[in-house]
């Protein structure tokens, strides 16, 4: 299958705490992505981007250049980056632009996210009664999954241990110090069964991609990566999501499963074809569940797959080779594009110490956000 959209430039900033504003981080990422592609800002014909709490992406033209291009703001929670990417893909496929930018950025204050009930279509009582505390939903969801499929707390700790280890191999990651599984288990319970070191932290960072048509890509010097598919889906009835006060009877639905299935169908391949992947790991239980929800394994298989090292960089299904959200932190607007950046580097063979052996050919990314939205991509070299 020939690719009709190619990623010709990709860049990210260091994630974590920063003296720079979110917009400044975004400008840095955009300029680095343009340089990676070998394209001037004046050649970009359209742009899509956004953040959750660090400003409007279209105002970046003040620093990038006042060329008059259409620049559309995107705000879709943790799927902001993925939604910007889908928009960029559609712009190229429609023929309205042949060079398009996708950018995501954020800068969050210290502490947990502080969502307002009214922004999510919920009553004020959600805040006053403590139902906006996201960690409790993560805990409840993985606790049920552990009960149903035989997942142990040790497996959750091993996921986080891998994240910190891979973060140590990623120069742009926030958490770069290895942490042993035993220490993770003893780091203090937050929402049973999830301990403190199993969670990611809100932070600052930016990521950007330059997408091109095949005709433009052929004129460029650097290696381009084919973006086979990009899909965004929202939840269906029966899903148990963040801020849900109840769950329907019967087999639960999954927005991640829907988005992943759509991405695989569009790409014309299946989960078994994936050589390296990025999965949303707001906490370590999420990575476990998303492995099965995205079709990469059966429910319950994670227990032995993780124990035997299958998800390690040298394993048969490397997951979150850059340390994921646990090691990088989560600037909401940037997370989805940070995932794609990592897969681009892996497929180019440019991931340094964290490079998957043999140079993988096909990669997959998945991001999930409240209150039930998911974005997935399939890429190939």
């Amino acid at each position: 299958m020939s690719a009709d959209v190619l990623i010709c430039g990709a860049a990210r900033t260091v994630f974590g705490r920063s003296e720079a504003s979110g917009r400044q981080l975004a400008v840095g990422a955009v300029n680095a992505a343009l340089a990676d592609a070998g394209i001037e800002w004046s050649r970009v014909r359209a742009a899509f981007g956004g953040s959750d709490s660090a400003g409007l992406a279209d105002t970046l033209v003040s620093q990038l250049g006042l060329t008059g291009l259409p620049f559309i703001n995107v705000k879709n929670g943790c799927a902001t980056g993925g939604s910007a990417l889908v928009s960029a893909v559609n712009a190229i496929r429609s023929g309205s632009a042949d060079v398009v930018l996708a950018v995501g950025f954020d800068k969050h204050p210290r502490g947990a996210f502080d969502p307002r009930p009214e922004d999510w279509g919920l009553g004020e009582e959600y805040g006053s009664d403590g139902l906006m505390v996201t960690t409790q939903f993560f805990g409840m969801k993985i606790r049920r999954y552990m009960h149903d499929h035989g997942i142990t707390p040790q497996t959750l700790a091993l996921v986080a241990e891998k994240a910190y280890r891979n973060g140590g191999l990623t120069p742009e990651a926030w958490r770069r110090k290895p942490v042993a599984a035993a220490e993770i288990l003893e780091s203090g319970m937050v929402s049973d069964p999830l301990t403190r070191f199993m969670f990611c932290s809100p932070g600052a960072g930016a990521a950007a991609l330059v997408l091109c048509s095949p005709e433009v890509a052929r004129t460029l010097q650097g290696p381009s990566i084919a973006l086979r598919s990009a899909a965004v889906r929202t939840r269906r009835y029966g899903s148990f999501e963040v801020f849900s006060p109840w769950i329907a009877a019967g087999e639960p639905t999954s927005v991640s499963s829907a988005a992943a299935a759509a991405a695989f169908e569009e790409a014309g391949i299946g989960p078994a074809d994936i050589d390296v992947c990025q999965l949303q790991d707001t906490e370590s239980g999420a990575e476990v569940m998303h492995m099965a929800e995205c079709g990469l394994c059966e429910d319950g298989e994670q227990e032995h797959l993780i124990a035997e090292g299958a998800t390690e960089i040298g394993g048969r299904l490397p997951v979150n080779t850059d340390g994921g959200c646990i090691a990088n932190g989560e600037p909401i607007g940037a997370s989805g594009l940070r995932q794609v950046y990592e897969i681009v580097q892996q497929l180019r063979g440019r991931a340094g110490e964290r490079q998957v052996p043999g140079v993988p050919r096909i990669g997959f990314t998945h991001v999930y956000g409240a209150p039930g939205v998911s974005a997935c991509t399939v890429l190939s070299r």
Side-chain angles (χ1 to χ4, degrees), residues 19-381:
E19 295 297 323
S21 69
R23 292 179 68 260
Q24 288 171 326
L25 293 170
V27 169
V30 171
N31 284 330
L34 290 169
D36 184 47
I39 289 178
E40 298 291 331
W41 169 248
S42 58
R43 183 63 180 82
V44 179
R45 295 292 179 256
F48 301 85
S51 76
D52 188 70
S53 60
L56 299 173
D58 71 289
T59 64
L60 300 177
V61 298
S62 299
Q63 284 73 47
L64 296 171
L66 302 175
T67 63
L69 87 170
F71 201 135
I72 308 302
N73 289 303
V74 178
K75 187 172 183 179
N76 208 12
C78 293
T80 292
S83 299
L85 187 57
V86 168
S87 301
V89 168
N90 289 338
I92 291 179
R93 288 178 174 170
S94 70
S96 64
D98 58 1
V99 179
V100 185
L101 171 76
V103 59
F105 60 99
D106 251 309
K107 184 177 182 179
H108 304 295
R110 293 178 181 274
F113 292 119
D114 187 23
R116 301 188 312 164
E118 57 268 31
D119 291 340
W120 303 83
L122 302 170
E124 292 183 3
E125 68 276 6
Y126 273 73
S128 60
D129 292 347
L131 293 174
M132 299 302 289
V133 182
T134 58
T135 58
Q136 64 184 334
F137 291 97
F138 297 136
M140 285 188 286
K141 192 169 185 178
I142 187 59
R143 173 55 74 189
R144 171 175 172 163
Y145 192 87
M146 292 167 70
H147 173 272
D148 290 348
H149 301 291
I151 305 298
T152 63
Q154 177 68 14
T155 292
L156 303 183
L158 290 175
V159 168
E161 182 182 61
K162 172 178 64 71
Y164 294 119
R165 183 167 54 251
N166 291 353
L169 305 176
T170 307
E172 303 89 355
W174 184 4
R175 312 296 189 191
R176 305 197 63 212
K177 179 181 178 182
V179 184
E183 184 178 354
I184 292 166
L185 285 169
E186 298 298 324
S187 61
M189 192 63 68
V190 176
S191 293
D192 191 17
L194 299 169
T195 66
R196 179 186 174 192
F197 289 172
M198 293 177 184
F199 282 93
C200 75
S201 299
L209 303 173
V210 176
L211 279 62
C212 300
S213 67
E215 293 75 19
V216 172
R218 283 194 287 268
T219 69
L220 303 177
Q221 298 282 325
S224 58
I225 297 299
L227 182 58
R228 298 296 186 187
S229 63
V232 176
R233 292 292 187 271
T234 55
R235 66 197 185 279
R236 293 182 180 274
Y237 179 79
S239 62
F240 178 54
E241 311 295 354
V242 174
F243 310 142
S244 298
W246 62 284
I247 182 170
E251 189 68 22
T253 62
S254 164
V255 65
S256 295
S257 295
F264 285 125
E265 180 178 6
E266 182 184 335
I269 65 171
D273 298 311
I274 299 302
D275 298 315
V276 58
C277 66
Q278 292 278 106
L279 302 178
Q280 178 77 15
D281 61 332
T282 310
E283 31 71 34
S284 55
E287 180 175 318
V288 172
M289 290 184 288
H290 291 146
M291 286 175 63
E293 289 182 357
C294 293
L296 300 168
C297 71
E298 295 297 323
D299 289 314
E301 277 191 301
Q302 303 96 321
E303 184 75 7
H304 72 265
L305 288 175
I306 291 169
E308 69 184 21
T311 59
E312 300 284 348
I313 289 173
R316 59 187 175 90
L317 181 63
V319 177
N320 292 336
T321 49
D322 64 350
C325 288
I326 292 175
N328 285 274
E330 186 165 28
I332 285 178
S335 278
L337 297 185
R338 187 262 305 161
Q339 291 183 329
V340 177
Y341 166 85
E342 175 64 13
I343 296 299
V344 168
Q345 297 305 92
Q346 289 288 346
L347 299 186
R348 285 174 165 177
R350 295 181 176 179
E353 291 184 90
R354 65 186 187 280
Q355 178 65 52
V356 170
V359 186
R361 297 192 60 83
I362 301 177
F364 172 80
T365 73
H366 156 272
V367 66
Y368 163 85
V373 60
S374 180
C376 295
T377 71
V378 175
L379 303 95
S380 68
R381 66 180 179 94

